[in-house]
Amino acid sequence: MDIIHLLPDSVANQIAAGEVVQRPASVIKELLENSIDAGATQIQVFLRESGKELIQVIDNGKGMSPTDARMAFERHATSKITQAADLFTLHTMGFRGEALASIVAVAEVDMRTRRPDDEAGVLLRMAGSRLLAQESVMCAAGTNIEVRNLFYNVPARRNFLKSNQTELSNVITELQHVALANPQVGFTLSHNDVQLLQLTPGSYKQRISQLFNKNLGQQLIPVGVDNDLMQIEGFVCQPEGARKKGALQYFFVNDRYMRHPYFHKAVMECYQELIPDGSQPNYFIYLRVDPASIDVNVHPTKTEIKFQNETARWHILTATIREALGKFNAVPSIDFDQADAPEIEPYDPTKAPPSEPKVNYNGDYNPFRKTSLMSNWKSLYADFSSERQAEMPSQESFASGETLSSRLSSRLDDTDAPSANESGTLTSRLSTVFDDVPNYQDEANVPVDPMAAMPNVEHRNTFRKYLQVGGAYIAASTKKGLLLIDQHQAHVTVLFDRYFQQIQQRQGVSQQELFPEIVEVAPADEPILENILPQLRYLGFELDNLGGGSFAVNGKPASLDKGINLQDLLLEMIESARDGMGNIGKDIDRKLALRLSRTQAIPAGKILSEEEMTQLVDALYDLPEHTYTPDGRLIAYQLTNEEIAARF
Ligand code: ADP
Ligand code: MG
């Protein structure tokens, strides 16, 4: 018996739908693109439950005849191309004729449509690729399509959907792409009867400002060129506008959003040297090219697009952006910001002239008199060791602030060493030698190896001294060798412990702000931020949603640095939450706590006082885990005595 047969259309469509329709956001993308292709100037979007329950798109485009309306839901049915060659002159977003067929295969769809010149419109009611009803109706010109219960007949897919916040955020992201590409079209978006967006027709710049931070518009520098190969229009940001996370980076080609890692690199190259490492500029770049020179036919859900002559275009792009940035820099900003300016009193001839500053220096200091210095120290050790026998440096003497090194340096003061004012070099040199103190390792007072499983408190003050190395590591001599602690990672771990506990125990204090700062987030980020407000509260942030993507910061963690950029920090927190989304709540808690800790932790390069080092190391070794950070980075490394000996 033969066993091969053709699949029924409904099954074939459902399989094909997997390619096009993965989530509510993919439905929105297809419906919006159809409305744009139909020449709509006003598009309204209504969602329920992030689109899982309802996605409705109403446009005022050219509508369809009753027959076309029926045809539109067939697979490979399109009005946009008739032959393969048309792909090279494509001026529409759609061309596959697959979207509506795919959507109707996995959802319940009602579509009302009417061409402006027709008296009556048509209503089609469909579900799972089957036509349930078709009737003539009175309706507005244009197309009104309702997609309900997405994946109602594919439970596995429905279960696969992410949380409402994630799906809503994805939907808004798709809408943003279409809205940014078509500023001449008005858009509204409502979710569960709450209007989230209202975009009026305008210029590219107005659209960008409507969608994102209103202040963003001021930071934009226009770019433009009209060249045989391509036309470029759009904006890049001033170098100061670059962000560590959540930078707004958009490329469009022929009014279609695209991702283009190669052109992205071109932009980044223009900003080299202008912005700090790891930060990213905002850009909105609109390319217009001959449709024959690009291949949009990659994959229905992919946004990468292939170009001919990419290298030549790379050069045009970088030249255009460099020119724009250059122009911007060439015009000095006449911005008399006097906040940090020193105060200069007006000249008053009656007053005595200010005294000249004096320079003090030690005329006897000879940096080359090293040998004598060393021998001096040698004798000092001997001296010191014998003194130690008599009065052992007890824990108390350390605690009372009198450290061995301070004693040592006071003894050195009367040698011909550099004067005590130059304590920076003195102390560091001293410390180098300090570790060589002979006989120190007698059993009574051995420095405890912090890596060993010792009760945590006991290590305190038993390191003789902490020494900062390279501005980034804290070194301590231990019984086993030399312990190197990464100051940044150590501090991250200490802070993380505190912040994570605050979230877990649902308590945290914030410092109230007299004049709340307003931060602005993109519409796609708003539901995410809304979702993590409780955690942020335990971390000390009191945020108030003012609507329209604006949040008032009424309180922030008391420990937060004064100069910190709240907007950037919150964007980073949103980014962390996005990463952790879809996982269990605790994961987001960890990510948020970690993000705040990383921002707050002392950086490499910060010079620490001895007291600061002591506090940090004490706090670190009070934690049960002090070898790796919560995200798995090494905090401390023990260079063993054997390893050291092997070097000599
Ligand atoms: P494609 O967009 O690739 O042609 P679709 O399945 O998305 O395929 O749509 C099929 C056809 O239905 C389109 O070619 C177009 O003629 C028609 N159509 C779809 N949506 C609309 C709309 N909102 N207004 C007018 N016509 C539409
Ligand atoms: Mg389409």
Side-chain angles (χ1 to χ4, degrees):
M1 192 181 76
D2 300 326
I3 50 171
I4 301 181
H5 56 91
L6 286 175
L7 289 172
D9 268 359
S10 58
V11 180
N13 281 343
Q14 194 175 319
I15 295 170
E19 291 280 297
V20 184
V21 184
Q22 275 135 14
R23 46 179 21 96
S26 7
V27 176
I28 277 290
K29 170 175 182 284
E30 295 298 337
L31 296 184
L32 291 179
E33 290 187 351
N34 280 347
S35 297
I36 297 286
D37 284 344
T41 56
Q42 186 63 44
I43 302 177
Q44 295 165 269
V45 179
F46 297 90
L47 304 172
R48 261 182 204 292
E49 300 305 307
S50 308
K52 293 173 185 172
E53 215 176 286
L54 170 74
I55 301 165
Q56 181 175 25
V57 174
I58 305 175
D59 68 46
N60 62 352
K62 65 183 179 199
M64 285 171 262
S65 73
T67 322
D68 279 350
R70 180 67 197 85
M71 262 310 269
F73 289 98
E74 294 296 327
R75 204 130 66 89
H76 309 305
T78 179
S79 58
K80 298 171 192 173
I81 58 172
T82 49
Q83 50 191 14
D86 293 345
L87 278 175
F88 301 107
T89 53
L90 200 64
H91 286 283
T92 53
M93 304 296 293
F95 55 88
R96 292 188 175 85
E98 272 181 343
L100 290 184
S102 299
I103 293 170
V104 82
V106 291
E108 300 164 350
V109 176
D110 277 7
M111 182 171 84
R112 290 172 177 78
T113 185
R114 177 169 76 84
R115 291 178 298 185
D117 293 340
D118 291 347
E119 289 266 299
V122 63
L123 162 67
L124 292 184
R125 180 156 290 168
M126 306 188 69
S129 297
R130 277 176 305 123
L131 180 67
L132 305 180
Q134 172 166 3
E135 58 198 63
S136 183
V137 287
M138 302 310 290
C139 60
T143 302
N144 173 344
I145 179 160
E146 293 168 53
V147 178
R148 289 179 196 280
N149 299 325
L150 185 63
F151 299 133
Y152 78 102
N153 53 352
V154 205
R157 286 233 149 204
R158 197 171 168 92
N159 294 338
F160 199 66
L161 292 179
K162 299 263 171 60
S163 71
N164 275 355
Q165 281 82 11
T166 313
E167 295 300 345
L168 180 59
S169 167
N170 289 333
V171 167
I172 297 174
T173 301
E174 288 298 342
L175 190 140
Q176 268 173 358
H177 293 164
V178 179
L180 282 170
N182 298 280
Q184 78 288 355
V185 178
F187 290 87
T188 61
L189 168 68
S190 301
H191 179 240
N192 294 343
D193 297 324
V194 179
Q195 190 171 79
L196 298 182
L197 277 178
Q198 180 169 19
L199 306 172
T200 49
S203 65
Y204 282 135
K205 191 166 181 176
Q206 285 164 333
R207 182 52 50 94
I208 294 168
S209 306
Q210 282 174 348
L211 270 175
F212 305 105
N213 187 339
K214 282 136 212 132
N215 304 326
L216 184 72
Q218 295 156 12
Q219 294 171 6
L220 297 178
I221 307 170
V223 292
V225 73
D226 197 350
N227 181 284
D228 279 352
L229 201 54
M230 71 178 174
Q231 194 188 325
I232 303 177
E233 206 183 327
F235 302 91
V236 294
C237 77
Q238 297 170 11
E240 299 79 58
R243 297 176 176 180
K244 271 255 149 55
K245 282 241 170 143
L248 305 165
Q249 304 183 321
Y250 295 92
F251 278 119
F252 301 88
V253 58
N254 297 352
D255 299 329
R256 183 190 299 270
Y257 168 79
M258 69 162 180
R259 276 177 27 83
H260 206 290
Y262 183 63
F263 289 164
H264 169 76
K265 266 186 150 169
V267 181
M268 291 304 291
E269 205 175 271
C270 300
Y271 278 88
Q272 238 179 30
E273 317 277 300
L274 293 180
I275 58 177
D277 259 5
S279 50
Q280 299 264 341
N282 298 321
Y283 59 78
F284 302 84
I285 296 175
Y286 297 85
L287 308 177
R288 223 163 284 281
V289 303
D290 177 359
S293 70
I294 53 172
D295 183 8
V296 294
N297 193 10
V298 186
H299 185 273
T301 57
K302 296 278 184 304
T303 42
E304 276 88 6
I305 289 179
K306 288 205 173 65
F307 284 71
Q308 286 169 8
N309 302 328
E310 285 201 335
T311 325
R313 292 177 209 269
W314 159 291
H315 289 302
I316 299 175
L317 186 59
T318 48
T320 312
I321 296 176
R322 287 216 167 99
E323 188 196 332
L325 286 171
K327 263 192 207 151
F328 163 73
N329 279 332
V331 187
S333 72
I334 311 177
D335 174 14
F336 294 107
D337 181 4
Q338 304 207 317
D340 298 324
E343 245 180 64
I344 301 172
E345 280 181 38
Y347 177 62
D348 180 356
T350 58
K351 273 195 185 162
S355 56
E356 252 178 61
K358 292 219 166 48
V359 180
N360 295 322
Y361 63 95
N362 176 356
D364 294 334
Y365 171 51
N366 179 353
F368 301 105
R369 220 180 296 158
K370 198 170 168 187
T371 359
S372 68
L373 189 65
M374 286 308 286
S375 56
N376 246 319
W377 279 346
K378 288 246 167 68
S379 65
L380 260 169
Y381 295 144
D383 199 9
F384 175 65
S385 305
S386 56
E387 191 187 69
R388 251 183 84 254
Q389 307 295 331
E391 40 150 321
M392 202 61 123
S394 63
Q395 303 255 340
E396 289 83 315
S397 74
F398 279 96
S400 68
E402 190 191 3
T403 61
L404 280 179
S405 74
S406 65
R407 278 198 235 174
L408 251 183
S409 35
S410 67
R411 295 184 139 262
L412 271 172
D413 275 351
D414 43 16
T415 69
D416 59 353
S419 74
N421 289 344
E422 302 183 48
S423 59
T425 47
L426 176 64
T427 339
S428 55
R429 272 201 241 170
L430 244 184
S431 321
T432 343
V433 187
F434 199 29
D435 281 343
D436 295 332
V437 179
N439 304 330
Y440 195 83
Q441 290 193 0
D442 50 359
E443 288 311 308
N445 207 22
V446 192
V448 175
D449 170 18
M451 308 299 279
M454 294 290 288
N456 284 320
V457 204
E458 290 211 356
H459 87 279
R460 284 195 185 172
N461 299 334
T462 51
F463 290 141
R464 284 155 290 168
K465 175 175 170 58
Y466 299 114
L467 166 68
Q468 201 180 15
V469 183
Y473 304 96
I474 301 172
S477 169
T478 69
K479 188 181 178 187
K480 283 197 178 160
L482 180 67
L483 181 70
L484 287 168
I485 300 169
D486 184 317
Q487 68 190 45
H488 176 69
Q489 308 297 7
H491 200 200
V492 166
T493 311
V494 169
L495 290 175
F496 173 83
D497 182 70
R498 169 146 46 97
Y499 288 134
F500 188 60
Q501 299 229 6
Q502 273 175 221
I503 302 186
Q504 294 297 292
Q505 292 161 8
R506 311 191 168 278
Q507 48 179 258
V509 277
S510 65
Q511 194 163 302
Q512 297 302 304
E513 294 293 300
L514 212 47
F515 304 104
E517 194 174 318
I518 308 291
V519 297
E520 313 258 359
V521 303
D525 290 343
E526 195 181 326
I528 300 181
L529 185 52
E530 186 68 39
N531 195 35
I532 55 171
L533 284 185
Q535 283 102 322
L536 290 180
R537 191 160 51 247
Y538 304 133
L539 290 174
F541 293 98
E542 303 266 1
L543 298 186
D544 215 0
N545 192 345
L546 304 176
S550 299
F551 286 79
V553 186
N554 295 318
K556 52 188 186 189
S559 55
L560 209 60
D561 272 356
K562 282 276 171 296
I564 205 138
N565 182 331
L566 273 180
Q567 170 103 20
D568 280 356
L569 177 58
L570 284 170
L571 286 176
E572 287 176 6
M573 304 290 275
I574 290 171
E575 211 58 43
S576 303
R578 207 197 312 275
D579 288 349
M581 212 101 86
N583 297 321
I584 40 168
K586 212 170 163 188
D587 207 53
I588 293 191
D589 295 353
R590 289 179 64 85
K591 290 216 147 123
L592 291 175
L594 191 61
R595 170 44 52 216
L596 189 58
S597 310
R598 287 231 168 267
T599 313
Q600 288 272 83
I602 46 166
K606 167 129 202 288
I607 303 303
L608 300 179
S609 71
E610 195 156 337
E611 167 139 20
E612 286 169 323
M613 289 192 270
T614 312
Q615 273 177 7
L616 178 57
V617 177
D618 279 352
L620 178 69
Y621 283 94
D622 270 349
L623 301 177
E625 165 61 50
H626 36 69
T627 313
Y628 290 99
T629 64
D631 52 344
R633 315 241 183 119
L634 189 65
I635 304 170
Y637 177 76
Q638 175 85 259
L639 198 61
T640 62
N641 286 325
E642 294 74 37
E643 281 173 272
I644 297 170
R647 300 245 149 222
F648 296 94

